[in-house]
Amino acid sequence: MELVQIQRRLVDYTKSLFMEGFLDAQFLQLQQLQDDSNPDFVFEVVSLFFEDSEKLLNELTIALDQPNVDFKKIDSHVHQLKGSSSSIGAQRVKNACIAFRNYCDVQNIEGCLTCLQQVKQECYLVKNKFETLFRLEQQIMASGGSVPTIELGF
Amino acid sequence: MNSSNGNGSMSTASSSGAWNGRDQFPAGLRVLVVDDDQTCLMVFEKMLKTCLYQVTKCNKAETALSVLREHKNEFDIVISDVHMPDMDGFELLKHINSEMDLPVILISADARKQVVMKGVTYGACDYLIKPVRIETLKNIWQHVVRKKARNTF
């Protein structure tokens, strides 16, 4: 595929992620922080997020499986996940965390379990989206091109 | 200034703590940022560096407190997350307010009014909701100047 076509594909794909709510404006903030001195910044931050979120999701699974559920602990983990997901612009993960916290507040175990599944699903989905995004970027760089920037005016 | 141990870690951008040259201000503003979440910490560090601030990061409040105690007068402002295990942002804020004269900004994904109120009444000079935009961080120098002005008059 020609360089121009891949670049076009990347732009369209990124826009679709915003349209579908996977990403929000915070992701653009991250992209703006990336520069020549730190060309892999977005990739590094996103990778760090998935590393951390996997641990948090494991902790949450274990915590909800206890005979006496510690809702304070669960709330703390979900809060952290909400903060980190919002910091990278992973909107749907963040929103799933908000719903999760509401069930946690009223100590509804079933609700929490459903939300945990939801959060796991959203993390899985956005992880795949990011992988595609980074793959397209790599293809562009490998062809000697530069990654096009997204304007928020669409 | 680099140290790490099993309980907490911190890293700093530069070893010289001096900020001089008013014409460059707020470049070189010496910021200590505290957050137990490494994703958030990485984003903050990059944003603050992009603002041309001198950034030291900590992932534990206790570490931050010992750094501040050991290196008094080498920081202009502290930015801290609220919800952290062991010592939280409120406690850190209380210690800083009683022991030293530094502006403290609290940051959290928690936007509930009672929590923000707590931060303000405990003496945080600002309370920011995550995700924080770089534009907001570009303005934090105002808190440093404001505090200095209050102390002078």
Side-chain angles (χ1 to χ4, degrees):
Chain A
M1 204 188 284
E2 269 187 46
L3 175 62
V4 175
Q5 280 179 293
I6 311 178
Q7 285 171 322
R8 180 66 173 278
R9 190 146 154 230
L10 175 67
V11 170
D12 289 344
Y13 189 73
T14 311
K15 280 185 180 172
S16 74
L17 295 183
F18 282 98
M19 300 292 206
E20 290 163 28
F22 284 103
L23 297 178
D24 63 28
Q26 184 67 10
F27 182 70
L28 292 177
Q29 288 263 307
L30 287 194
Q31 287 189 316
Q32 281 165 24
L33 289 173
Q34 185 162 290
D35 56 26
D36 291 333
S37 70
N38 217 169
D40 296 319
F41 176 69
V42 179
F43 178 78
E44 283 171 13
V45 177
V46 170
S47 304
L48 199 57
F49 168 74
F50 285 112
E51 206 180 286
D52 282 349
S53 61
E54 198 180 316
K55 288 184 201 149
L56 282 170
L57 290 171
N58 283 338
E59 303 265 337
L60 282 165
T61 309
I62 293 170
L64 277 169
D65 204 26
Q66 301 303 307
N68 288 321
V69 175
D70 185 350
F71 284 101
K72 225 174 143 196
K73 193 184 210 180
I74 292 176
D75 183 75
S76 172
H77 287 324
V78 177
H79 175 81
Q80 184 165 343
L81 194 55
K82 179 189 168 191
S84 54
S85 60
S86 72
S87 297
I88 67 163
Q91 190 175 241
R92 278 161 65 147
V93 176
K94 179 188 79 171
N95 289 341
C97 288
I98 294 174
F100 198 152
R101 274 194 105 190
N102 290 335
Y103 281 108
C104 204
D105 282 344
V106 297
Q107 307 204 347
N108 181 332
I109 295 190
E110 283 309 310
C112 283
L113 283 166
T114 309
C115 283
L116 177 60
Q117 279 314 109
Q118 190 72 14
V119 173
K120 280 181 176 173
Q121 174 75 347
E122 292 300 342
C123 280
Y124 173 76
L125 286 171
V126 78
K127 190 173 184 190
N128 285 343
K129 299 292 182 185
F130 274 123
E131 277 165 6
T132 306
L133 201 71
F134 292 134
R135 202 166 47 241
L136 284 169
E137 281 186 0
Q138 270 166 7
Q139 279 181 301
I140 291 172
M141 310 275 275
S143 308
S146 59
V147 176
T149 45
I150 306 293
E151 305 297 316
L152 193 50
F154 63 89
Chain B
M1 196 166 49
N2 267 303
S3 71
S4 65
N5 53 45
N7 297 330
S9 68
M10 55 153 273
S11 68
T12 186
S14 135
S15 51
S16 87
W19 151 48
N20 42 31
R22 285 189 80 86
D23 48 329
Q24 288 175 344
F25 182 83
L29 197 74
R30 300 161 303 175
V31 184
L32 179 69
V33 59
V34 192
D35 196 326
D36 63 322
D37 184 278
Q38 49 175 357
T39 308
C40 295
L41 206 53
M42 189 175 174
V43 176
F44 283 141
E45 188 192 23
K46 188 71 165 101
M47 284 186 171
L48 291 164
K49 279 187 180 170
T50 306
C51 296
L52 302 181
Y53 299 156
Q54 215 168 292
V55 187
T56 306
K57 52 180 185 171
C58 286
N59 62 6
K60 277 187 93 150
E62 289 103 330
T63 316
L65 200 51
S66 27
V67 167
L68 289 169
R69 283 171 178 157
E70 277 169 56
H71 300 274
K72 279 192 169 154
N73 304 320
E74 287 181 40
F75 291 97
D76 297 306
I77 189 163
V78 179
I79 301 179
S80 174
D81 188 31
V82 170
H83 294 94
M84 294 185 284
D86 307 323
M87 193 191 291
D88 67 17
F90 295 121
E91 226 187 302
L92 177 62
L93 171 62
K94 264 173 35 181
H95 280 292
I96 293 176
N97 280 345
S98 66
E99 294 175 36
M100 37 197 115
D101 195 28
L102 274 178
V104 180
I105 295 177
L106 290 178
I107 300 197
S108 181
D110 195 340
R112 289 175 296 179
K113 197 161 77 177
Q114 64 266 38
V115 187
V116 179
M117 184 70 80
K118 188 174 175 183
V120 174
T121 48
Y122 271 45
C125 64
D126 209 344
Y127 188 113
L128 306 174
I129 310 295
K130 283 181 184 174
V132 176
R133 296 171 63 87
I134 193 174
E135 287 81 8
T136 311
L137 294 176
K138 283 189 175 152
N139 285 322
I140 62 172
W141 60 268
Q142 296 176 18
H143 298 292
V144 177
V145 176
R146 198 173 292 127
K147 205 166 180 72
K148 286 209 166 82
R150 277 214 194 102
N151 292 345
T152 314
F153 298 110

